[in-house]
Amino acid sequence: MARDSREQQLIELKDTVKELNTTIKNLNALIEAANKREAEHLEKEKVLQEQIEYLTKKLFGKSSEKRDDFEGQFNLFNEAETLMAEPDPEEQEFTTVEKHTRKKKTKMTDKFANLPVQKVLLDVPEDERICDICGTPLERIGEEFVRREIEIIKPSLKIIEYYSVSYGCPKCKEDAEVPHIVKGRDDQKHMLHGMASAGTVAWVMYQKYVNCLPLYRQEKDFKMYGAEICRGTIANWIINNAEDFFRPMHEYFQRKLVSGKYIMADETPVQVLKEPGRRAETKSYMWVFRSGEYDPEQIVLFHYSPTRAGQTAKEFLEGFHGYLMTDGYGGYNKLKDCTRTSCWAHVRRYL
């Protein structure tokens, strides 16, 4: 009887061990599945974090293609210096840096040294230049500085009319067959368009391109000064006079640029409104050409073209035989007489 009970207990223990082994096996499977899911989640989290960093950099990072040194990446040009072993601290030479001196503050007299000064005397009226005690006339004994003011003299308009004065010989008028008449001449040739003087054209150009004052606001200024001059007239002053006076300068600098050894070029899309034969949405291009960074004469020229065709660069740089620095745009391949060089800042586009 006792033997049967021990066998029964042994059988129950074996069943318990078997159940426990099955439970352990199931738990190990669950743990393995959980570890696998955790690894997948970590991988997804890593990818999402990289996407967040990339989008954050695109949204808030630099838009310039200027290259910065990245952590852990050797500099291409300073590799030898980067890999060179650091010297022993005991062998290092120490240099003493001089104490930094703060820049002196600009004095008031230095800030306005180039402005004309008008001296105003706060004089005593003549009827008060008598001593109240003894009645003796007062004598000037000196002057004392009171204050300093900055005054703006607003622009004003005036019309200048030129008349040629004529002179005739009274004797030749009576005796000669043809009277002798001499007229006053204008030594300066008037090449300007319209009534605007050279100073007026220079002023509207300065207001437009230096102070960024639109022509419609300049029109209001002219009206406030007492002249009804519409913005279309002002625009004609700028365009026509720039065409006549600046084109020879542009052509001269273009010849200087082409005769140099280095040229950099690029093109930027612009939108031109009301261009004949083209829609307002059509892209036009402003080409920029400049001399080498270390050339003694720095030249920067802009050239407008309705298209991005490489023929534009070929015609503008005709006769150039030096080194041309551009991006990877294939339109510059039309220039056969020069050596093409590429910009390092654009290399990363292809990596």
Side-chain angles (χ1 to χ4, degrees):
M1 187 71 178
R3 185 179 179 184
D4 294 338
S5 62
R6 284 198 301 269
E7 291 179 357
Q8 184 67 30
Q9 290 177 358
L10 184 60
I11 294 173
E12 291 177 357
L13 289 174
K14 288 182 179 179
D15 293 339
T16 303
V17 171
K18 187 176 181 180
E19 291 177 0
L20 291 174
N21 289 332
T22 303
T23 303
I24 292 172
K25 185 177 180 181
N26 294 335
L27 290 175
N28 289 333
L30 290 174
I31 293 173
E32 184 179 355
N35 291 335
K36 187 176 181 181
R37 288 196 299 270
E38 183 181 3
E40 293 177 354
H41 290 161
L42 290 175
E43 186 66 25
K44 290 182 179 179
E45 182 181 354
K46 183 179 178 181
V47 173
L48 291 175
Q49 186 64 33
E50 291 178 354
Q51 292 179 354
I52 291 173
E53 293 177 357
Y54 173 76
L55 295 175
T56 303
K57 186 176 181 181
K58 292 289 288 184
L59 183 61
F60 302 105
K62 294 181 180 179
S63 58
S64 173
E65 293 188 341
K66 183 178 179 181
R67 181 190 176 278
D68 295 326
D69 292 331
F70 300 101
E71 183 180 357
Q73 179 175 341
F74 292 132
N75 192 301
L76 181 63
F77 303 100
N78 298 329
E79 184 178 3
E81 291 81 356
T82 305
L83 297 177
M84 183 176 61
E86 295 184 0
D88 189 353
E90 297 181 357
E91 298 179 358
Q92 292 184 9
E93 296 181 358
F94 296 93
T95 57
T96 303
V97 180
E98 297 182 1
K99 184 179 180 181
H100 175 70
T101 56
R102 182 175 295 180
K103 185 179 179 181
K104 294 182 179 180
K105 293 183 178 180
T106 307
K107 297 181 180 179
M108 189 67 67
T109 53
D110 297 333
K111 290 181 179 180
F112 308 112
N114 297 325
L115 297 180
V117 179
Q118 178 183 354
K119 189 175 182 179
V120 178
L121 296 177
L122 305 177
D123 208 344
V124 180
E126 292 185 3
D127 55 351
E128 297 181 6
R129 300 178 188 174
I130 301 175
C131 181
D132 296 337
I133 300 175
C134 61
T136 305
L138 301 179
E139 296 180 353
R140 180 174 177 175
I141 58 175
E143 58 187 38
E144 180 183 1
F145 175 77
V146 179
R147 69 177 185 274
R148 182 180 287 111
E149 294 179 346
I150 300 176
E151 183 177 357
I152 297 179
I153 302 174
K154 68 177 183 179
S156 59
L157 300 181
K158 64 179 179 181
I159 301 297
I160 301 178
E161 295 181 345
Y162 293 87
Y163 292 88
S164 176
V165 182
S166 302
Y167 291 88
C169 177
K171 184 176 181 181
C172 292
K173 182 179 179 180
E174 297 178 357
D175 301 338
E177 297 181 359
V178 179
H180 180 69
I181 299 175
V182 179
K183 293 185 178 182
R185 297 179 180 179
D186 189 358
D187 295 334
Q188 298 180 354
K189 294 183 179 181
H190 187 73
M191 296 176 60
L192 302 174
H193 297 267
M195 292 178 57
S197 65
T200 303
V201 175
W203 173 255
V204 296
M205 287 183 176
Y206 171 78
Q207 291 287 78
K208 167 67 176 175
Y209 298 106
V210 178
N211 293 339
C212 302
L213 190 66
L215 296 185
Y216 77 91
R217 294 177 63 181
Q218 295 195 46
E219 179 183 356
K220 292 181 180 180
D221 282 349
F222 278 114
K223 187 175 182 180
M224 184 175 61
Y225 300 149
E228 295 282 349
I229 303 176
C230 67
R231 70 194 73 174
T233 301
I234 302 175
N236 288 332
W237 290 351
I238 295 176
I239 296 173
N240 294 330
N241 287 288
E243 181 76 16
D244 288 347
F245 288 94
F246 293 155
R247 178 175 289 277
M249 295 175 56
H250 186 276
E251 293 175 351
Y252 168 76
F253 287 122
Q254 183 179 357
R255 293 193 298 270
K256 293 283 290 183
L257 182 69
V258 172
S259 63
K261 191 175 182 180
Y262 302 98
I263 291 181
M264 305 176 187
D266 197 8
E267 68 289 337
T268 303
V270 294
Q271 189 176 10
V272 180
L273 302 178
K274 299 181 180 179
E275 193 172 10
R278 307 187 72 197
R279 298 184 304 165
E281 298 82 5
T282 306
K283 281 186 179 181
S284 301
Y285 288 87
M286 183 65 71
W287 297 67
V288 58
F289 304 90
R290 64 156 295 170
S291 57
E293 185 177 358
Y294 300 104
D295 286 355
E297 296 179 349
Q298 294 294 306
I299 301 175
V300 180
L301 297 178
F302 293 89
H303 179 73
Y304 168 78
S305 176
T307 66
R308 199 189 180 193
Q311 188 68 21
T312 302
K314 180 180 178 181
E315 294 175 356
F316 191 89
L317 300 178
E318 185 177 359
F320 176 65
H321 303 289
Y323 295 91
L324 178 62
M325 168 80 68
T326 65
D327 55 15
Y329 175 49
Y332 294 103
N333 293 329
K334 290 184 176 293
L335 285 87
K336 304 297 183 182
D337 299 333
C338 63
T339 303
R340 287 284 311 278
T341 60
S342 300
C343 176
W344 280 103
H346 295 82
V347 173
R348 67 179 190 178
R349 291 183 176 179
Y350 308 101
L351 297 180

